[in-house]
Amino acid sequence: EADIYQTPRYLVIGTGKKITLECSQTMGHDKMYWYQQDPGMELHLIHYSYGVNSTEKGDLSSESTVSRIRTEHFPLTLESARPSHTSQYLCASSERGQETQYFGPGTRLLVL
Amino acid sequence: QKEVEQNSGPLSVPEGAIASLNCTYSDRGSQSFFWYRQYSGKSPELIMSIYSNGDKEDGRFTAQLNKASQYVSLLIRDSQPSDSATYLCAVNWGGYNKLIFGAGTRLAVHP
């Protein structure tokens, strides 16, 4: 089981602010993912990375950006938050050669 | 047609009964299948993975896979109120290192 951490767990912020959601894992997993999930709805992949300096956009278009400078760290940034960004953001990771994904606890974002 | 389909429920079963959760998928090339459990307000946690046709058992949980019918199911024996959660089916997509998740089936186990 992966140790994967997300901060902050909850964030309430005003429109137009820049925010960064942090995700870190200590298992040395090569692959990391960001999902967006609205209450009672399915998970949507918004970004993924197969390793350092590798990032790809997911299936759901998102105004957020990500970076992968270190294996263990995969932060997500919103340059200008809007109420439509209100959601839960879940980070996951998996080992090279494996498809099982392990999730962090999530960040609940509320943009006023 | 959605890539991974699940009945949204709620599926209501009495304590001690068998809960049967179903999932169909559209990509014939999918080779890996996963069941996750998600409690309200929490993140998904892995229950089981299955890769070959047939049954795979782990404690009270049994996953069943039929690739010809593009169907995967999860049986929960001796259901407990603590099993009440949303169960997500996930399928690897087209050989890519991505999982596609269904919308989930909400299970309610009543005493």
Side-chain angles (χ1 to χ4, degrees):
Chain A
E1 189 171 327
D3 290 326
I4 183 164
Y5 309 97
Q6 291 186 244
T7 57
R9 296 290 310 279
Y10 305 93
L11 180 61
V12 181
I13 201 162
T15 296
K17 298 293 186 182
K18 178 179 179 178
I19 60 171
T20 296
L21 307 184
E22 302 287 351
C23 176
S24 295
Q25 49 92 8
T26 60
M27 301 302 287
H29 287 177
D30 285 326
K31 295 179 285 184
M32 296 188 74
Y33 309 83
W34 276 105
Y35 292 89
Q36 186 175 341
Q37 185 182 35
D38 293 328
M41 304 298 287
E42 58 210 277
L43 281 80
H44 290 286
L45 181 67
I46 51 174
H47 297 283
Y48 59 101
S49 168
Y50 292 157
V52 172
N53 294 326
S54 151
T55 61
E56 302 286 344
K57 288 190 178 294
D59 305 316
L60 180 68
S61 176
S62 174
E63 294 166 346
S64 58
T65 59
V66 292
S67 63
R68 190 89 183 275
I69 298 172
R70 303 197 316 265
T71 298
E72 63 271 20
H73 195 214
F74 191 40
L76 180 146
T77 298
L78 276 166
E79 290 293 333
S80 180
R82 295 209 301 264
S84 62
H85 296 139
T86 294
S87 190
Q88 177 168 240
Y89 293 83
L90 292 159
C91 182
S93 71
S94 62
E95 256 184 285
R96 184 186 303 178
Q98 302 292 321
E99 290 168 318
T100 305
Q101 293 183 18
Y102 300 96
F103 285 83
T107 294
R108 288 192 174 276
L109 173 65
L110 173 60
V111 184
L112 302 174
Chain B
Q1 180 190 6
K2 285 191 171 182
E3 293 117 337
V4 179
E5 295 214 49
Q6 297 181 255
N7 187 320
S8 62
L11 173 65
S12 182
V13 300
E15 185 174 356
I18 296 175
S20 178
L21 305 161
N22 305 315
C23 171
T24 58
Y25 59 94
S26 61
D27 181 12
R28 287 196 170 275
S30 295
Q31 297 294 323
S32 307
F33 307 86
F34 304 86
W35 283 100
Y36 286 82
R37 176 175 62 197
Q38 187 175 26
Y39 292 111
S40 181
K42 302 294 186 182
S43 61
E45 55 180 324
L46 180 71
I47 299 174
M48 293 186 69
S49 58
I50 185 166
Y51 305 96
S52 304
N53 280 329
D55 295 359
K56 179 181 177 183
E57 187 174 316
D58 184 359
R60 295 187 296 115
F61 299 98
T62 299
Q64 299 174 317
L65 175 61
N66 184 326
K67 291 183 182 178
S69 301
Q70 295 174 245
Y71 176 92
V72 58
S73 65
L74 179 71
L75 301 178
I76 306 175
R77 290 182 300 282
D78 189 23
S79 295
Q80 302 297 310
S82 58
D83 294 325
S84 298
T86 297
Y87 289 80
L88 307 175
C89 173
V91 176
N92 84 304
W93 196 247
Y96 299 99
N97 288 308
K98 293 194 294 182
L99 296 182
I100 302 295
F101 285 82
T105 297
R106 190 156 58 91
L107 173 67
V109 181
H110 53 88

